[in-house]
Amino acid sequence: MSEGPDRAGQGERTVTEHPQHTPAAEGPGPDAVTLRPRALLITAWVSAAAVMVFFAIVAYLMPGEDTGVIFRPADQVAMMVIGAFVAGGLLLMARPRARADRHGVEVRNVLTTRWFTWAEVEGVSFPDGAASARLELPDDEYHPVLAVQAVDRGLAVRGVRTLRELHHSAVTAG
């Protein structure tokens, strides 16, 4: 409970009740199902490791080349830092995740995380030729679910079925 400000200088204070934490309002509960893309994770980590190895080799070989330029240790460190930034950018592709429970679904894509209650979602689809699943929203809008990728084949099918089952059970119960 928190006390509000004085009302009109009368010295009277209002007391405000804070609502209990509800998973439906803020995110999935402890019983949530988590979906992650397998091929994208492997590709992102392997690519990031390859980039770091490449930049380490380039940094190591820099002073040995006879180019007329004098490379110093600071240049080697800078090369490794650039490699770390590139690898970090590649690892952003490993972020997608979807966590769903009976209240709704939390979709974390590359840069954003968004929570949808099942009442907001009209359906879960995977259109022909699409790279990832999507949540169908009102007014012909949709939100991509990058955690369910077509390249994962059977895993993607199970992921879409799981989301559809949770959506169906929430809609019929509510």
Side-chain angles (χ1 to χ4, degrees):
M1 288 196 284
S2 67
E3 296 184 359
D6 288 344
R7 274 198 225 170
Q10 298 174 349
E12 189 177 317
R13 299 181 78 80
T14 59
V15 177
T16 324
E17 293 279 336
H18 288 289
Q20 294 282 338
H21 173 272
T22 57
E26 297 179 18
D31 61 337
V33 175
T34 301
L35 306 171
R36 295 190 65 123
R38 183 177 301 150
L40 191 61
L41 283 172
I42 293 168
T43 303
W45 280 100
V46 168
S47 298
V51 163
M52 284 305 296
V53 167
F54 173 77
F55 275 87
I57 291 170
V58 169
Y60 178 75
L61 295 176
M62 278 175 74
E65 295 180 14
D66 186 17
T67 60
V69 178
I70 299 172
F71 290 108
R72 303 193 187 273
D75 297 318
Q76 291 174 297
V77 170
M79 189 59 67
M80 288 301 296
V81 169
I82 292 170
F85 276 114
V86 173
L90 288 169
L91 286 177
L92 284 175
M93 296 307 296
R95 282 198 78 223
R97 178 186 75 191
R99 293 182 62 220
D101 64 7
R102 59 190 170 97
H103 300 290
V105 59
E106 176 190 65
V107 178
R108 182 175 75 184
N109 287 332
V110 175
L111 296 175
T112 61
T113 301
R114 189 156 172 211
W115 168 255
F116 297 93
T117 61
W118 288 123
E120 297 175 74
V121 177
E122 291 184 353
V124 179
S125 66
F126 208 124
D128 286 340
S132 64
R134 65 187 195 183
L135 300 178
E136 301 292 337
L137 304 172
D139 298 327
D140 291 328
E141 292 183 17
Y142 67 89
H143 189 78
V145 182
L146 297 180
V148 182
Q149 295 278 320
V151 295
D152 289 330
R153 302 183 190 278
L155 185 63
V157 171
R158 286 191 300 276
V160 169
R161 285 182 180 157
T162 300
L163 291 175
R164 284 178 178 165
E165 288 170 9
L166 286 166
H167 177 254
H168 179 72
S169 65
V171 169
T172 55

